[in-house]
Amino acid sequence: MSYQYATSYSTSKDEKPLTKMWQRLVRQSQYDAKGKPRTRLAILRRRLLTIPTAVFLLCFFVLLWGERSSFSSSIDACKWDKWETWPSDAQPHRIALIADPQLVDPHTYPGRPWPLSSLTIAATDKYIKRSYYLLQRQIDPDTTLFLGDLFDGGREWSTHFEGFQASEKQWKKYGDKYWLNEYNRFGKIFFAQDQVTGGLPAHKVKKFVASLPGNHDLGFGNGVQVPVRNRYQAYFGEGDRIDIVGNHTFVSIDAVSLSAMGQPDSSPELWNSTMQFLDNAQHLKHKAVRAELNEHQGLISHKRWAHEVTSPLDLGRQSTKEELAKELKPEFPTILLSHVPLYRPEGTPCGPLREKFPPTKPDLKHDKPNAIRIAGGYQYQNVLTQELSTTVAEKIGNIGHAFSGDDHDYCEVLHPDYASRHNRGIREITVKSISWAMGVRKPGFQLVSLWNPVDTNGESLRDGPTLQTHLCLLPDQLSIFIRYGILAAFSIIALAMNTLVQVRNEEAAASLTATHTLPTSEPSKSTSKSRSRAPSGATNSMSSSEHSNSNSTLSARTNNARTRSVSPAMGYGLPTARPGASLIEKAGYYGNNPEYQMYNKEEVFDESDDWGNPIFRKPPRPKVPKTFRRKLVDRFGRDFAWAGGPAFVLYYWLLTRG
């Protein structure tokens, strides 16, 4: 019994190979091994339930997790309502602290070749940009403060200001134009409209302060160059400033320039401005608080410049000591912002949230691995000196909390020996870096919630704490890349094993078909009877006759059938071959030569010249059967393209779409 396909396929020599391949794939998918047609469900199952499809689906879910779900879940775990403990009627002011973005540039990995260096820059920028976007979208802080080290090599790039000297020859080619490009790059990540609003319509006024410099922005101590600092302040503002946020006073100091005080060969020009700011810090705090209270009570117009006539004598008039003594001195809780942490004794533990070296035992008073190392080097110092820390605390006064950066890892310390609010000590938190290229596997940022209801004189109406804080951790990007690598290796192994099994099965099926060839049709009853009645001697002749006359089978063409029956009138046709004729008489005849047989086909002689002679054309090159290795390569290439092609397109789309 034989099975015939319902669809016929052309075998024309002009048919394209891709069309033949597509028809073969359709035929294989629509019919099973026995030739029976498949149902639509079976066809769908055959096309989809394959190893390449399973590999693509696995890549799809892993990429979706690594580029979307891991970030969203990390940010979602930090939402305010999951850790704030204010009363139900509280209206806190919410702040996000960003430390050490330290955008990767040629200074970060000077020996890293292209294109690895460019890929590193692109990967770190994408990580920070995506994290910051989700921070503004899902957490939506009212104020965002940066704690320095906005750039990595900002102190090295030359400037148009006079007096700049490059630290090394390799940085001389990076000039002021390069720094401006880095500034624009920083703005696209943090200050672009979509980044500020998180892709949502603007619904409230937000405040962003990024003027606090770090040692990678300016240098440290006597390594700070005035032209570099002037450029930074021209674009980001003064490093020494006071901001009233959420009925709290934020005091920012340029700690890297202040650290030049007391160092050998340091110019007073570096630290004079910060010391003058500290000398007037308490007066400036009171002034800022009074202005804030007057604005709350509607006593100060919101116009920046009032149109009024003022006497020149009033402009130069200063308050006397008696008038200053009579003035109210309202004060909000003070929060110190410094890029460099305050001094603490060697081995002071940083607490259980430190990533690099968790505490060996709980409640230890001395844990050197868990602490910030008290050391310094070229253009850096891990903490301020003890003298400067004491000076800062005394001159500012009433400090309850301090936030710093520089260390890249989390550290929480209580300083009991410095002047502080109600003499309870200064609780300092060193904020984690937001970049995954700064030596921490899980970057992060700090969330601060402020609620301090006050009366008309600025006195707090709350007995308990007015500040709550929470560490928000971001995904481990290096771990995500490692999982991508494992997924790629697993996918290649799975596709290779599937290819090997499929090709072996096809080889086995082909060999089985070659050894057990089924007849193309069943013999008719009349033919069977005639064969049974025929004499034994005539069996061969009758069989050949019946075989040639059968309509359901094909028969080989004879030499007479191949010979043209019509020749030109003048007799210029090919001579008919005769047995025993001389070689001259057989000109153009090659007998049973295989090459002649290859040319002596009907499709080869389908054209003739004006004399009736056939036109010989080069026959098609015979198909060389594919080797086992070639079949493996072709099959693996198709499976890899089916699984890996869409996966690469998906990954590119996820990267470019934020």
Side-chain angles (χ1 to χ4, degrees):
M1 180 180 293
S2 65
Y3 298 93
Q4 297 180 355
Y5 293 116
T7 306
S8 60
Y9 299 94
S10 173
T11 58
S12 173
K13 59 185 176 181
D14 296 331
E15 190 174 3
K16 297 182 179 180
L18 290 178
T19 305
K20 292 183 179 180
M21 182 181 69
W22 173 252
Q23 291 177 349
R24 184 170 64 254
L25 292 175
V26 171
R27 182 178 59 189
Q28 291 176 356
S29 62
Q30 292 181 348
Y31 298 92
D32 58 13
K34 296 182 179 180
K36 295 182 179 180
R38 303 177 187 270
T39 62
R40 291 185 177 181
L41 181 61
I43 294 174
L44 183 64
R45 187 185 301 112
R46 177 180 176 82
R47 292 181 180 178
L48 295 182
L49 298 183
T50 59
I51 296 298
T53 303
V55 169
F56 166 70
L57 292 177
L58 180 61
C59 295
F60 175 83
F61 287 110
V62 172
L63 290 174
L64 200 63
W65 166 82
E67 302 299 322
R68 290 293 185 270
S69 300
S70 59
F71 285 85
S72 297
S73 59
S74 298
I75 299 294
D76 187 68
C78 302
K79 287 187 175 180
W80 307 101
D81 56 353
K82 295 186 178 182
W83 57 271
E84 282 181 331
T85 58
W86 303 121
S88 58
D89 60 340
Q91 295 181 353
H93 189 97
R94 292 157 172 169
I95 299 176
L97 296 175
I98 309 296
D100 301 271
Q102 213 161 318
L103 301 185
V104 175
D105 54 30
H107 178 267
T108 310
Y109 305 105
R112 185 164 293 186
W114 186 89
L116 188 58
S117 58
S118 299
L119 292 176
T120 304
I121 292 175
T124 52
D125 283 6
K126 177 60 67 176
Y127 183 93
I128 298 174
K129 187 175 183 179
R130 179 180 296 165
S131 302
Y132 187 79
Y133 176 88
L134 294 176
L135 161 65
Q136 299 295 337
R137 182 182 182 89
Q138 299 185 26
I139 297 181
D140 192 21
D142 303 310
T143 301
T144 303
L145 304 176
F146 293 82
L147 298 178
D149 271 358
L150 310 184
F151 310 108
D152 187 71
R155 67 193 179 203
E156 307 292 348
W157 317 140
S158 62
T159 174
H160 63 276
F161 292 100
E162 296 181 1
F164 175 82
Q165 295 180 358
S167 60
E168 298 180 20
K169 293 181 179 179
Q170 59 180 331
W171 310 128
K172 286 186 177 181
K173 61 181 179 180
Y174 299 98
D176 195 53
K177 184 178 180 181
Y178 187 86
W179 189 93
L180 291 176
N181 291 333
E182 293 296 286
Y183 175 77
N184 292 331
R185 175 183 163 200
F186 182 89
K188 291 179 181 178
I189 296 176
F190 294 106
F191 295 151
Q193 180 67 22
D194 287 345
Q195 293 294 102
V196 169
T197 62
L200 300 174
H203 59 283
K204 65 180 180 181
V205 177
K206 293 185 177 184
K207 186 174 184 179
F208 298 85
V209 180
S211 60
L212 190 68
N215 59 304
H216 281 266
D217 300 317
L218 306 184
F220 187 85
N222 54 13
V224 176
Q225 298 192 54
V226 175
V228 174
R229 187 174 66 181
N230 291 340
R231 177 178 59 190
Y232 184 88
Q233 293 179 354
Y235 286 89
F236 289 102
E238 295 286 339
D240 303 312
R241 59 181 294 159
I242 292 178
D243 297 281
I244 304 298
V245 180
N247 290 342
H248 287 72
T249 304
F250 283 79
V251 181
S252 304
I253 61 170
D254 183 1
V256 293
S257 297
L258 180 63
S259 297
M261 186 177 180
Q263 290 187 350
D265 301 329
S266 62
S267 173
E269 186 181 6
L270 298 178
W271 47 267
N272 261 343
S273 59
T274 304
M275 281 303 300
Q276 292 176 3
F277 171 79
L278 291 176
D279 291 337
N280 298 321
Q282 295 192 23
H283 171 66
L284 294 174
K285 286 198 310 177
H286 298 155
K287 185 178 179 180
V289 172
R290 282 197 304 270
E292 184 74 12
L293 292 175
N294 291 336
E295 186 174 353
H296 287 174
Q297 299 171 21
L299 301 178
I300 295 180
S301 175
H302 289 279
K303 295 180 181 179
R304 185 177 295 273
W305 304 110
H307 297 277
E308 59 184 5
V309 178
T310 303
S311 172
L313 298 177
D314 295 336
L315 293 176
R317 182 179 178 276
Q318 296 181 355
S319 300
T320 62
K321 293 182 179 180
E322 292 78 10
E323 291 175 344
L324 291 175
K326 292 180 181 179
E327 288 181 355
L328 292 177
K329 296 183 179 180
E331 190 164 0
F332 292 156
T334 302
I335 300 173
L336 173 66
L337 300 181
S338 170
H339 177 71
V340 185
L342 297 174
Y343 176 84
R344 73 286 312 276
E346 180 103 22
T348 302
C350 288
L353 297 180
R354 190 166 177 82
E355 177 186 318
K356 295 178 183 177
F357 300 100
T360 54
K361 293 181 181 179
D363 301 329
L364 287 178
K365 294 184 178 180
H366 183 85
D367 191 353
K368 191 172 182 179
N370 182 248
I372 293 180
R373 189 168 61 97
I374 309 301
Y378 172 73
Q379 297 282 38
Y380 82 93
Q381 188 171 294
N382 292 337
V383 296
L384 296 175
T385 63
Q386 187 173 7
E387 294 78 9
L388 283 179
S389 300
T390 303
T391 300
V392 169
E394 290 178 350
K395 288 185 177 294
I396 295 177
N398 198 31
I399 300 177
H401 292 79
F403 295 94
S404 57
D406 185 68
D407 189 66
H408 300 169
D409 202 355
Y410 185 87
C411 183
E412 186 172 353
V413 175
L414 178 64
H415 301 283
D417 300 329
Y418 299 138
S420 59
R421 180 177 174 84
H422 305 310
N423 296 322
R424 296 175 182 175
I426 301 175
R427 183 168 296 277
E428 180 183 5
I429 293 178
T430 301
V431 181
K432 263 197 166 187
S433 172
I434 196 174
S435 173
W436 69 279
M438 294 298 113
V440 288
R441 293 289 294 270
K442 287 190 174 182
F445 52 88
Q446 201 73 20
L447 297 179
V448 180
S449 180
L450 306 175
W451 185 54
N452 181 32
V454 297
D455 58 15
T456 56
N457 295 325
E459 296 293 332
S460 179
L461 301 178
R462 178 171 172 77
D463 296 333
T466 60
L467 180 147
Q468 295 178 10
T469 183
H470 179 76
L471 170 63
C472 185
L473 294 176
L474 295 172
D476 184 354
Q477 184 64 59
L478 185 59
S479 176
I480 293 175
F481 284 156
I482 292 175
R483 295 187 185 186
Y484 286 170
I486 295 175
L487 174 64
F490 171 79
S491 302
I492 292 175
I493 293 174
L495 293 176
M497 294 180 64
N498 176 69
T499 299
L500 182 62
V501 172
Q502 294 295 331
V503 173
R504 282 188 174 180
N505 291 341
E506 292 175 0
E507 290 284 326
S511 61
L512 183 63
T513 303
T515 54
H516 300 83
T517 304
L518 295 176
T520 58
S521 63
E522 292 183 355
S524 61
K525 294 181 179 180
S526 59
T527 305
S528 306
K529 292 179 181 179
S530 61
R531 285 182 177 177
S532 61
R533 296 174 183 175
S536 59
T539 302
N540 293 337
S541 61
M542 291 176 61
S543 299
S544 61
S545 174
E546 291 173 358
H547 183 70
S548 62
N549 293 330
S550 177
N551 295 327
S552 59
T553 58
L554 299 176
S555 60
R557 296 173 59 89
T558 61
N559 291 334
N560 295 331
R562 291 194 186 101
T563 307
R564 290 183 178 268
S565 59
V566 179
S567 60
M570 300 300 297
Y572 289 100
L574 289 174
T576 303
R578 298 191 306 272
S582 63
L583 186 60
I584 299 299
E585 293 178 349
K586 295 181 180 180
Y589 173 71
Y590 299 94
N592 294 326
N593 190 335
E595 295 184 0
Y596 171 77
Q597 296 294 335
M598 182 171 60
Y599 279 87
N600 194 17
K601 292 183 180 179
E602 183 176 359
E603 59 268 22
V604 176
F605 297 97
D606 58 354
E607 296 182 7
S608 59
D609 56 13
D610 295 339
W611 303 98
N613 296 321
I615 299 177
F616 287 90
R617 294 180 304 168
K618 185 177 181 180
R621 181 178 296 179
K623 294 184 178 180
V624 179
K626 293 183 179 180
T627 62
F628 183 77
R629 180 181 297 179
R630 183 63 183 175
K631 291 180 180 179
L632 286 177
V633 173
D634 292 347
R635 182 62 176 265
F636 180 80
R638 292 197 302 268
D639 291 349
F640 184 80
W642 171 257
F648 282 117
V649 172
L650 174 65
Y651 185 54
Y652 178 78
W653 185 85
L654 291 174
L655 287 178
T656 55
R657 298 292 293 180

